[in-house]
Amino acid sequence: MEDHSFRPALDLSADIASGKLTAESLMRSTLARIAAVNDQVNAIISLRPADDLLREARAADQSPRRGWLHGIPIAIKELAQAKGLSATSGSPVFAGQVASQDDLFVARIRAAGAIIIGKTNAPEFGLGSHTHNPVFGTTRNPYDLFRSAGGSSGGAAVALATGMLSVADGSDMMGSLRNPAGWNNVYGMRPTWGLVPDADADDVFVSTLAIDGPMARTPSDLAALLDTMSGTDPRVPFARGADVSLPGIDDLLRPPRIGWLRDWGGALPMEQGVLETCEAALGTMQAMGWPVEPVRDLFSSDALWTSWTRLRAWLVAMRHQEKYEDPALRPLLKEAMIHEIETGLALSPREIYAASGIRSDWFRSATQLFGKHDVLALPTAQVWPFDAELTHPTSIAGHEMDTYHRWMQVVVPASLAGLPAVSVPAGFGSDGMPIGLQLIGPQDSDSYLLQIAQTWHKATDWPGKRPAMV
């Protein structure tokens, strides 16, 4: 049987379209790869029966082509709803629950011809950038099985890094598409807020911190999936028009001017080697003719953190308060969820409004930075992948972390302003673990960021040079 494990999704799509490859052959290759490595990493969960998947693949081979994903296997992140598959959010509160319908972006992926084979693992309720939960267990980093895969799209990133999937979806509130991409040597894209609408959310007006997006081993696949997931929906206000990033992805017309935010003027503690590895990547970019300059006029990191933690906690509390108040369910909630709910419930209306004001000020400040730089660069994480048995890092370089998510502070600037950010592989540290760079752009610069990522990929191809170890 031919192995298609590490081939790009667009190449697989072209071969299926031309008849060089059948969906059934691809499905057999996919299932063989999953059987070979998934027990070690625990990335794909709720896998559908092989007989059903092969039957669906054979039906695809006999059916008219529905879209570029026709016959391509894909697994959906556990935080999203995919009809007939687990819908637990990794929590015992919802153990055994099955989705009755697709979320909007999942329906779009299915309509483009994808065969949904199962789900990808995520942290409980998506809280914390470490993919472990009491329902499905821990997802392991394929470069070191004793380390974290990141999160919350950790299962998706590992499935890509190990060749079990060619393309995957994820979601990002606090770096969940960027941190695991960096830790698994793949690409992740947090789109401009509103580009991928969430028609199934309880609230579609206030909740503007999280968004769904694509992950892949190549920027072209990233662009293709973003084009499928994006587009307005009449049920969602503020949604942006469909993205069309793929056709022009090779057309980067001028070198990007990169503003290096580094450790935010010393405000963000970094583990040894993170900045050095990222700066080596930036050195390569400079050698490619891309100007890199340090950004010195920085917005207050303390203000950003205050705004972020208040708005995040308030939104989480409003969504999950009923579980907290139920004496039968509260013991089932993870410590991070309790922290978010109690913090959110303690906030006054004045504090919430002030947090939104800080957010507005930061957006305006970022807009001014983009007058000097085309993109802003930050590491995808402040630490290397940590011990998978830990809940979260408690200190960085001697600095104690005062919350479960303080070590993820580096991803807040893009999230708080709703800005697009692509995570590109930056290379490996001295112990062989990967890290990435966030390249952050102004609103609606998604296609431009993907052009930058594509040019970087052609010059470096980190996912191809250093495939996952398992």
Side-chain angles (χ1 to χ4, degrees), residues 4 6 64 71 104 112 115 122 189 195 236 252 286 297 346 360 369 404 429:
H4 301 284
F6 289 95
L104 175 60
I115 300 176
M189 179 79 185
L195 188 58
V236 183
L252 183 65
Q286 284 184 305
D297 186 17
S360 301
L369 288 178
Y404 79 97

Side-chain angles (χ1 to χ4, degrees), residues 156-171:
V158 172
L160 290 166
T162 54
M164 291 189 286
L165 297 177
S166 58
V167 69
D169 73 282
S171 57

Side-chain angles (χ1 to χ4, degrees), residues 341-408:
I341 293 174
E342 291 181 347
T343 301
L345 293 178
L347 292 169
S348 69
R350 183 185 296 273
E351 288 173 318
I352 296 167
Y353 188 76
S356 186
I358 294 171
R359 184 186 192 187
S360 301
D361 288 341
W362 161 234
F363 181 84
R364 287 187 283 264
S365 178
T367 299
Q368 291 180 343
L369 288 178
F370 290 123
K372 304 174 184 177
H373 313 282
D374 297 312
V375 296
L376 304 174
L378 277 168
T380 53
Q382 292 164 240
V383 298
W384 297 101
F386 54 84
D387 187 336
E389 300 306 318
L390 295 177
T391 302
H392 58 82
T394 57
S395 66
I396 301 175
H399 296 264
E400 296 299 315
M401 301 290 99
D402 56 359
T403 69
Y404 79 97
H405 52 4
R406 187 70 178 229
W407 66 276
M408 300 155 56

Side-chain angles (χ1 to χ4, degrees), residues 144-416:
D144 183 340
L145 296 175
F146 295 99
R147 303 225 208 167
S148 171
S152 61
S153 308
V158 172
L160 290 166
T162 54
M164 291 189 286
L165 297 177
S166 58
V167 69
D169 73 282
S171 57
D172 189 310
M173 179 185 248
M174 196 173 178
S176 295
L177 280 158
R178 291 165 281 161
N179 170 250
W183 279 2
N184 288 277
N185 194 34
V186 298
Y187 294 86
M189 179 79 185
R190 178 192 167 95
T192 296
W193 192 85
L195 188 58
V196 180
D198 186 0
D200 308 285
D202 297 332
D203 166 73
V204 294
F205 278 95
V206 177
S207 302
T208 58
L209 295 181
I211 189 168
D212 298 298
M215 303 184 82
R217 289 188 300 272
T218 70
S220 292
D221 286 350
L222 207 64
L225 189 59
L226 180 59
D227 290 355
T228 299
M229 298 172 71
S230 64
T232 59
D233 183 276
R235 297 167 292 176
V236 183
F238 317 127
R240 284 168 153 75
D243 194 66
V244 283
S245 296
L246 182 61
I249 197 166
D250 293 306
D251 299 334
L252 183 65
L253 298 180
R254 59 181 174 82
R257 299 169 299 163
I258 300 171
W260 175 220
L261 294 166
R262 204 171 187 275
D263 58 0
W264 212 271
L268 305 179
M270 298 278 176
E271 193 170 2
Q272 180 65 39
V274 169
L275 290 176
E276 291 81 357
T277 304
C278 289
E279 286 174 340
L282 290 168
T284 301
M285 292 180 181
Q286 284 184 305
M288 293 166 59
W290 298 0
V292 178
E293 296 181 355
V295 179
R296 305 192 187 280
D297 186 17
L298 295 168
F299 197 87
S300 166
S301 65
D302 288 340
L304 288 176
W305 185 245
T306 296
S307 175
W308 176 259
T309 52
R310 287 179 179 177
L311 293 174
R312 173 183 166 98
W314 177 64
L315 288 171
V316 172
M318 293 304 97
R319 185 175 182 183
H320 298 285
Q321 180 179 359
E322 291 182 1
K323 305 178 187 67
Y324 176 80
E325 294 174 342
D326 188 327
L329 296 183
R330 186 186 297 188
L332 300 179
L333 299 177
K334 67 187 291 186
E335 184 178 337
M337 177 63 82
I338 298 294
H339 166 81
E340 295 286 1
I341 293 174
E342 291 181 347
T343 301
L345 293 178
L347 292 169
S348 69
R350 183 185 296 273
E351 288 173 318
I352 296 167
Y353 188 76
S356 186
I358 294 171
R359 184 186 192 187
S360 301
D361 288 341
W362 161 234
F363 181 84
R364 287 187 283 264
S365 178
T367 299
Q368 291 180 343
L369 288 178
F370 290 123
K372 304 174 184 177
H373 313 282
D374 297 312
V375 296
L376 304 174
L378 277 168
T380 53
Q382 292 164 240
V383 298
W384 297 101
F386 54 84
D387 187 336
E389 300 306 318
L390 295 177
T391 302
H392 58 82
T394 57
S395 66
I396 301 175
H399 296 264
E400 296 299 315
M401 301 290 99
D402 56 359
T403 69
Y404 79 97
H405 52 4
R406 187 70 178 229
W407 66 276
M408 300 155 56
Q409 191 172 350
V410 74
V411 301
V412 166
S415 295
L416 192 60

Side-chain angles (χ1 to χ4, degrees), residues 42-49 75-91 94-103 105-106 110 116-122 133 135-136 169:
N42 190 37
I44 292 182
I45 57 176
S46 304
L47 183 66
R48 294 172 55 201
I76 302 298
K77 185 175 176 179
E78 179 62 4
L79 301 186
Q81 303 285 303
K83 185 176 180 179
L85 292 171
S86 61
T88 71
S89 293
S91 171
F94 300 120
Q97 183 168 297
V98 174
S100 60
Q101 62 183 24
D102 289 337
D103 280 344
F105 83 86
V106 178
R110 200 189 294 273
I116 298 176
I117 65 172
K119 304 296 286 290
T120 55
N121 203 16
N133 64 69
V135 180
F136 297 108
D169 73 282

